[in-house]
Amino acid sequence: MCGIIGYIGKEEAKPIILNGLRRLEYRGYDSSGIALVGKEGIFLCKAPGKLTVLNNLLTQEIPSARLGIGHVRWATHGEVNEINAHPHLDCKGEIAVVHNGIIENYHLLKEKLIKEGHLFLSQTDTEVIAHLVEKYYHGNLEEAVRKALKELKGAYSLGIISQREPEKLIGVRLGSPLIVGTGKNGNFIASDIPAILDYTNLVFYLNDQEMAIITEKQIEIKDFQGRLLKRKVNKIEWDISLAEKNGHPHFMLKEIYEQPWVLNQICRRRIYEEKILWEEMGFSDKELLGFKKIFIVACGTAYHAGLVGKYILEELAGIPVEVEVSSEFRYRYPLLDKNTLILAISQSGETADTLACIREAKQKQIRVISICNVLGSSIARESDGVIYTHAGPEIGVASTKAYTAQLGILYLFAFYLAGLKKKIAEEKLSHLIGEFKNLPLHMETLLKDEGEIKKIARRFFSANCFLYLARGRDFPNALEGALKLKEISYIHAEGYPAGEMKHGPIALIDENMPVVCIVPQGKLYEKMFSNIQEVRARKGKVIALATQGDEIIKAHADEIISLPKIDELFTPFLTVLPLQLLAYHIAVLRNCDIDQPRNLAKSVTVE
């Protein structure tokens, strides 16, 4: 949820930390703060609201400092105000802490510390950490942190500094992501790679129950018992320009337009001479053939991608697939055995509930393949095998290009498994791969029709509720389209399989209800056409996504968005794009905060 950045080195810390916070603002943005260690002690500045508020406060002269930590907050404990913003200090104002995660036993710790004479200022769970470190500090910050950790229950990543040891920065990880960066002019901790990519592309990934003790010239990684660990440095291949808007008004719009590029990247990396490659997956063909059932676990948009994957895997590979929201899967008793494969999908690779599913599966000796975007993430490292989507950083909170990337991997996985199981002939498989490689061109063509979608947005942006209907492989896109609209425009929206409309949602339809109908040419076309007629009979406003040249649908829709003609197997790649753009332009007209919608965070790293 929240974003952490820390720096120690030769340069002034303030501009480096503020730039890192700017890169992390998508992770948490209801308040922000910075703590710097200078000659006169700790300088603290924090404020509720957007990062610009903090920036404005820091325009005055501040002490020179080459050690500091910063934080952007997504509130869990305590209202949004200056006092609850991070960093938090101990009683003496000598120790500063930033925190991402939840301390589950903070009430008990707080009561105990108050009885011992500690004075608390905030409502947060984080402040207990600063006071615990203060309690155990006797001249050695590392040792004090280690003792404090023994009392904490929950999930957290921490950045900790002390004016008593101005040459030291400590980072801690347990259940919440934290990386360590190393550069020519200093070293870093951060919640996410973009925060430090302006300064270095060399990082260490912390595992759970690990601490980084960092100075200007040295990085030591230890476990919570103090044992020194060896860790390989990783080189990040992302270009920092991928984390910039590049002329677009919002990251979300930029990332919508990057989707043809994302699919091209997948084709380049995964397809060679009509063969599909999984160099990092770590499973042999024999192992894959041994699985008789697949469970897909995911959350949010990734869950919708998993639903499309179910259609494709069952249709092409002939293997039973169940798809479940991770937060439900982890708390029930699914019937799993050694012939079951878990496919875990997560853009960030840090989604708390999905990670918990993987750990539970591993305890039961069930094999796991993860599909994720972030190299070295927890989900990638804890799975038996991993397939990276290589979509580049996704900054907009509402996921767009990650969805297309996940679909791309799921389709290729289905093709590969179908070929292994000889469910489709080689000639047919070659044809499907060829059609897949043509998808980026079709997507680019569709994205050129943005003007028509803007016009539709202007007509319906003041509506209070939307209904999205589809059938078959496109039904998950009805869910996804509704989710996008809810996320960024705050309009209530529901996605339904069109056949379920008469089982309740039809009661909502009147002359004020926009109904988005996904109706490309295919075997379910006539069924969808009947649903459109039912909507029109109740005076609902039909926004139809239909195949180019479909005059029948055009005559029965209030608005139409034309889709390029493609094999119906691949329509989910196209039908989702207008839904993303429609949500985007409606949100623009409603003056919503598109990249950082209220109450949402990019990565849900706590339960």
Side-chain angles (χ1 to χ4, degrees), residues 410-515:
L410 286 164
Y411 268 70
L412 290 183
F413 188 72
F415 295 167
Y416 190 81
L417 205 54
L420 278 184
K421 293 163 72 71
K422 302 193 185 303
K423 293 290 184 180
I424 53 178
E426 286 188 18
E427 184 178 337
K428 173 67 172 176
L429 181 58
S430 179
H431 168 74
L432 290 176
I433 292 173
E435 290 292 297
F436 183 88
K437 290 164 72 174
N438 288 330
L439 282 172
L441 290 175
H442 294 305
M443 295 167 75
E444 288 174 356
T445 299
L446 183 54
L447 287 168
K448 291 175 183 177
D449 201 24
E450 188 181 358
E452 182 64 26
I453 296 169
K454 284 183 180 179
K455 179 173 77 76
I456 297 170
R458 284 194 292 270
R459 179 175 178 183
F460 293 108
F461 78 94
S462 60
N464 294 319
C465 185
F466 274 67
L467 185 63
Y468 290 70
L469 300 175
R471 289 177 180 258
R473 305 176 201 91
D474 284 305
F475 155 60
N477 278 355
L479 299 176
E480 179 62 12
L483 177 63
K484 286 291 150 290
L485 192 69
K486 284 182 279 196
E487 284 180 315
I488 63 170
S489 76
Y490 318 140
I491 295 174
H492 177 257
E494 294 290 344
Y496 267 88
E500 285 291 293
M501 182 177 65
K502 292 190 287 292
H503 294 271
I506 198 168
L508 297 171
I509 297 174
D510 59 19
E511 67 275 10
N512 299 313
M513 171 72 82
V515 183

Side-chain angles (χ1 to χ4, degrees), residues 538-550:
R538 287 151 185 86
K539 300 183 180 180
K541 306 304 180 186
V542 175
I543 304 168
L545 279 63
T547 305
Q548 189 173 16
D550 189 333

Side-chain angles (χ1 to χ4, degrees), residues 295 297 329-332 334-338 340-344 353-369 382-384:
F295 252 110
V297 293
F329 179 89
R330 65 180 290 196
Y331 287 119
R332 68 179 188 85
L335 300 177
L336 307 172
D337 59 32
K338 64 179 181 180
T340 302
L341 172 67
I342 300 287
L343 270 182
D353 286 314
T354 304
L355 185 57
C357 290
I358 291 171
R359 289 169 177 168
E360 186 167 327
K362 296 294 290 295
Q363 285 179 356
K364 296 177 180 178
Q365 298 184 318
I366 306 299
R367 307 293 298 285
V368 179
I369 296 175
E382 295 194 29
S383 302
D384 297 293

Side-chain angles (χ1 to χ4, degrees), residues 33-61:
I34 186 171
L36 304 170
V37 175
K39 291 181 179 179
E40 297 179 4
I42 290 182
F43 170 85
L44 179 69
C45 184
K46 51 187 186 175
K50 296 291 186 182
L51 186 59
T52 52
V53 180
L54 181 69
N55 269 311
N56 291 337
L57 291 174
L58 290 170
T59 54
Q60 76 272 25
E61 191 78 19

